[in-house]
């Protein structure tokens, strides 16, 4: 006791030591049932994994539902996409329209001078054909503006232009004869 | 040191070439967006079908089912997918019925101020119809094929390549700037052509043809009669022999060509045969273009 008084700093430590010693005798033996403990752990683990399975399933269902909804949107339901290769065609066409305009001016100019040939039925019929063909070309150009420069339409226009050139040439020959 | 520099330049050159090739390939590739519309249209006996097509491919064929099956594809093409998708909206269609007539139509619709499409737009009809359905097709710019109909068919086309195959009732065709090809047809064919090429092969029945500025080719052994008036239209006709038909051919301001060995009159713009019997008559008149008669069998047998 005198030591305790002499060394006040040691008092709490000694008290604690004594208390522990007394507890050593009073404390029950630490023991557990290992099998029961493992069962408990397994139960808890199984419960957790069940929850995760439920969460995963819910997410999957949500994703599937979202995909189904997305593919059922009317605007995209009947659309399909593909790719096709095409030939590059040079657009640098020579503009020969001035030659045709020259030829037509030549015909007009000569017919103003009251050439007999200009009053012949065949000549008149050819000129009417020429006007009709020009109307066809105008219509085809409208189609090209609407549907694009598709080979089918370009082919039709070429066909008419060839015919128009042929008729223009015939008219020039008739005027010259 | 030089070697390393050379490798660097080489790698750079190859990379640039690869880039250029990729760019060129991208320019040569068209993105195609297709909107597909499918319908099953109920059919009653006596119904008819009117198809009004523009810049379209039309395929109509007969089947044994009692409804009309329609697959309509509206197609837009452009190098850029976004442009192709946007321009697809210009293609519109109508499906309806007035009285007994089912009506199908495709057309172009744009906003005010529209100038020109950047890509290519087209439509494709695929129709399967009951054989007894009366079909009328009006089409401009495109192609059309009608096969196996057992009822009258009427076609009015401009700049269309048209095929009529195995149509068993009457056919009425009006074509302006087109190619018309009829194969294995039956009944009465009434054909009106302007600046078109026409081919009639294996037609069993009568045919009436009016043609202006074109070419007509006839290769049919089962005709029960043919009347043709041509204006500046060249005609080529094939027959088994001279006994198959009564021929009355006239090419004003041009010639009628016949196989060697056939006796002819002085006027080479006319050719006529006077066979006894019930052979059908083929009468063809044209102007400024020739008529050519070809015989399958030896002339000496005629």
């Amino acid at each position: 006791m005198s030591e305790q008084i002499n060394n006040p700093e040691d008092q709490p430590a000694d008290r604690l030591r004594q208390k522990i010693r007394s507890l050593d005798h009073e404390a029950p033996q630490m023991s557990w049932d290992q099998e029961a403990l493992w069962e408990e752990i397994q139960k808890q683990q199984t419960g957790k994994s069940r929850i995760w399975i439920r969460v995963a399933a819910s997410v999957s269902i949500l994703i599937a539902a979202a995909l189904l909804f997305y593919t059922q949107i009317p605007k995209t339901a009947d659309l399909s996409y593909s790719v096709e290769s095409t030939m590059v065609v040079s657009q640098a066409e020579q503009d020969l329209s001035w030659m045709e305009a020259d030829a037509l001016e030549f015909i007009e100019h000569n017919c103003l001078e009251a050439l007999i040939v200009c009053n012949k039925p065949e000549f008149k019929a050819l000129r009417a054909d020429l006007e009709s063909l020009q109307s066809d070309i105008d219509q085809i150009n409208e189609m090209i503006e609407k549907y694009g420069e598709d080979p089918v339409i370009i082919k039709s226009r070429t066909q008419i232009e060839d015919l128009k050139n042929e008729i223009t040439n015939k008219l020039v020959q008739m005027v010259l004869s | 040191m030089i070697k390393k520099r050379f490798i660097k330049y080489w790698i750079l050159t190859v990379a640039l070439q690869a880039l250029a090739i990729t760019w060129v390939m991208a320019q040569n590739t068209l993105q195609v967006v297709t909107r597909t519309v499918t319908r099953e249209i109920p059919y009653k006996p006596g119904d008819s079908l009117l198809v009004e097509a523009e810049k379209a491919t039309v395929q109509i064929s007969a089947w044994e089912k009692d409804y009309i099956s329609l697959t309509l594809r509206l197609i837009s093409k452009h190098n850029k997918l976004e442009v192709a998708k946007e321009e697809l909206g210009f293609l519109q269609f109508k499906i309806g019925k007035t009285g007994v007539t089912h009506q199908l139509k495709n057309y172009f619709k744009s906003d005010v101020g529209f100038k020109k499409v950047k890509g290519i737009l087209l439509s494709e009809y695929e129709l399967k119809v009951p054989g007894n359905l009366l079909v009328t097709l009006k089409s401009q710019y495109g192609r059309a094929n009608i096969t196996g109909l057992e009822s009258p068919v009427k076609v009015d086309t401009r700049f269309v390549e048209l095929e009529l195959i195995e149509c068993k009732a009457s056919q009425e065709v009006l074509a302006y700037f087109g190619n018309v090809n009829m194969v294995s047809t039956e009944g009465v064919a009434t054909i009106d052509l302007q600046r078109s090429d026409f081919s009639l092969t294996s037609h069993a029945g009568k045919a009436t043809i009016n043609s202006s500025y074109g070419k007509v080719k006839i290769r049919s052994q089962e005709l029960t009669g043919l009347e043709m008036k041509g204006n500046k239209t060249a005609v080529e006709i094939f027959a088994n022999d001279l006994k198959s038909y009564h021929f009355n051919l006239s090419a004003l301001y041009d010639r009628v060509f016949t196989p060697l060995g056939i006796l002819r009159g002085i006027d080479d713009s006319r050719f006529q045969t006077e066979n006894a019997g019930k052979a059908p008559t083929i009468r063809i008149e044209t102007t400024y273009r020739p008529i050519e008669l070809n015989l399958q069998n030896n002339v000496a047998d005629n």
Side-chain angles (χ1 to χ4, degrees):
Chain A
M1 221 33 202
S2 61
E3 276 180 23
Q4 285 173 1
I5 295 163
N6 292 336
N7 300 306
E9 291 173 12
D10 293 335
Q11 282 177 3
D14 290 339
R15 279 182 201 157
L16 187 62
R17 199 175 291 120
Q18 277 177 0
K19 187 73 181 169
I20 290 167
R21 276 177 190 152
S22 65
L23 282 174
D24 280 348
H25 300 289
E26 290 168 11
Q29 283 288 321
M30 292 284 283
S31 65
W32 58 83
D33 182 350
Q34 288 190 0
E35 283 185 11
L37 187 63
W38 277 116
E39 269 179 27
E40 189 61 30
I41 291 166
Q42 278 176 344
K43 268 185 194 173
Q44 284 183 4
Q45 281 187 339
T46 315
K48 279 180 185 172
S49 61
R50 274 185 189 157
I51 288 167
W52 280 112
I53 286 168
R54 282 173 191 162
V55 170
S58 307
V59 170
S60 304
I61 289 166
L62 280 172
I63 290 170
L67 282 172
L68 194 66
F69 175 74
Y70 183 73
T71 53
Q72 292 297 315
I73 294 171
K75 281 184 180 176
T76 55
D78 52 2
L79 286 186
S80 60
Y81 302 90
S82 60
V83 173
E84 71 180 40
S85 58
T86 179
M87 279 176 23
V88 174
V89 181
S90 171
Q91 296 296 316
E93 285 179 9
Q94 204 178 350
D95 185 11
L96 300 174
S97 57
W98 63 272
M99 289 176 77
E100 190 192 317
D102 270 7
L104 292 174
E105 199 183 318
F106 172 78
I107 295 163
E108 290 290 334
H109 180 74
N110 280 277
C111 283
L112 280 175
E113 293 178 4
L115 281 179
I116 298 166
V117 71
C118 297
N119 291 319
K120 282 188 173 177
E122 194 188 344
F123 189 90
K124 284 181 175 175
L126 286 173
R127 284 186 80 171
D129 284 346
L130 212 55
E131 282 172 18
S132 164
L133 291 173
Q134 186 54 50
S135 163
D136 287 332
I137 288 177
D138 293 344
Q139 279 182 33
I140 285 183
N141 286 338
E142 275 179 31
M143 293 296 290
I144 289 171
E145 283 176 6
K146 284 174 13 179
Y147 292 99
E149 294 193 0
D150 188 285
V152 174
I153 297 188
I154 299 294
K155 192 179 160 189
S156 301
R157 189 173 67 183
T158 308
Q159 200 180 351
I160 298 177
E161 283 171 345
D162 286 350
L163 202 55
K164 209 176 147 202
N165 291 338
E166 195 183 312
I167 292 174
T168 307
N169 191 30
K170 267 187 195 171
L171 287 170
V172 170
Q173 295 304 320
M174 286 173 85
V175 167
L176 289 172
S177 63
Chain B
M1 188 69 184
I2 294 170
K3 200 175 178 182
K4 272 187 180 176
R5 191 175 290 173
F6 171 76
I7 291 170
K8 272 184 187 174
Y9 282 128
W10 185 79
I11 290 170
L12 190 67
T13 311
V14 170
L16 285 173
Q17 280 179 347
L19 198 68
I21 289 167
T22 312
W23 185 79
V24 169
M25 282 177 73
Q27 296 305 304
N28 294 353
T29 304
L30 281 180
Q31 301 292 330
V32 183
V33 185
T34 306
R35 183 182 179 193
T36 306
V37 179
T38 52
R39 294 279 193 283
E40 286 183 5
I41 302 166
Y43 160 79
K44 287 178 190 168
D47 280 0
S48 60
L49 173 69
L50 170 64
V51 181
E52 291 175 275
E54 189 173 90
K55 181 69 194 314
T57 300
V58 182
Q59 179 143 21
I60 302 173
S61 57
W63 69 351
E64 291 177 353
K65 295 181 181 174
D66 61 351
Y67 63 91
I68 301 164
S69 164
L70 163 70
T71 303
L72 173 62
R73 294 184 195 89
L74 306 171
I75 301 166
S76 172
K77 300 178 184 181
H78 192 269
N79 290 337
K80 292 178 182 170
L81 182 62
E82 288 310 311
V83 176
K85 280 165 81 174
E86 188 188 332
E87 293 193 339
L88 183 64
F90 293 139
L91 288 179
Q92 301 288 316
F93 68 95
K94 275 183 187 170
I95 301 172
K97 191 178 181 188
T98 306
V100 293
T101 306
H102 299 280
Q103 292 169 316
L104 308 175
K105 182 179 182 178
N106 75 289
Y107 59 100
F108 178 92
K109 190 180 177 185
S110 67
D111 297 330
V112 180
F114 164 84
K115 286 186 179 173
K116 189 178 178 181
V117 293
K118 295 169 191 162
I120 290 172
L121 301 174
L122 63 148
S123 303
E124 288 179 3
Y125 290 83
E126 199 178 310
L127 280 154
K128 289 176 181 169
V129 303
N132 290 322
L133 184 73
L134 281 84
V135 173
T136 302
L137 169 66
K138 290 182 180 177
S139 178
Q140 56 173 349
Y141 306 98
R143 291 192 181 89
N145 176 301
I146 301 176
T147 304
L149 291 183
E150 290 168 5
S151 57
V153 56
K154 286 184 184 178
V155 185
D156 183 348
T157 62
R158 282 174 63 88
F159 300 97
V160 170
E161 286 188 22
L162 170 69
E163 279 185 322
L164 290 176
I165 314 283
E166 293 175 356
C167 290
K168 305 295 182 189
S170 65
Q171 303 89 39
E172 207 176 304
V173 175
L174 193 64
Y176 182 70
F177 272 106
N179 290 326
V180 181
N181 193 14
M182 286 175 60
V183 181
S184 302
T185 44
E186 292 177 18
V188 178
T190 308
I191 316 296
D192 203 328
L193 309 158
Q194 281 192 58
R195 301 189 188 279
S196 299
D197 289 357
F198 174 59
S199 170
L200 184 68
T201 306
S202 303
H203 177 77
K206 283 191 175 181
T208 305
I209 304 167
N210 283 303
S211 173
S212 184
Y213 293 95
K215 286 178 193 165
V216 170
K217 187 186 277 188
I218 297 153
R219 190 190 286 265
S220 296
Q221 311 306 333
E222 295 168 314
L223 285 166
T224 55
L226 186 142
E227 291 278 341
M228 175 178 164
K229 285 197 174 175
N231 172 31
K232 295 172 184 170
T233 298
V235 183
E236 202 175 352
I237 181 161
F238 297 80
N240 276 343
D241 48 49
L242 284 182
K243 292 171 187 167
S244 307
Y245 300 105
H246 294 295
F247 289 101
N248 193 340
L249 312 177
S250 164
L252 190 63
Y253 307 123
D254 212 309
R255 290 179 64 185
V256 176
F257 293 94
T258 52
L260 288 171
I262 291 179
L263 290 172
R264 300 279 303 273
I266 297 169
D267 185 359
D268 61 5
S269 68
R270 298 181 68 84
F271 177 72
Q272 200 167 341
T273 57
E274 293 293 342
N275 292 325
K278 293 180 178 176
T281 298
I282 290 185
R283 190 188 314 277
I284 299 173
E285 291 174 10
T286 191
T287 59
Y288 296 102
R289 300 301 301 274
I291 298 173
E292 191 178 321
L293 174 63
N294 299 284
L295 300 176
Q296 314 287 345
N297 296 336
N298 196 333
V299 173
D301 299 336
N302 292 298

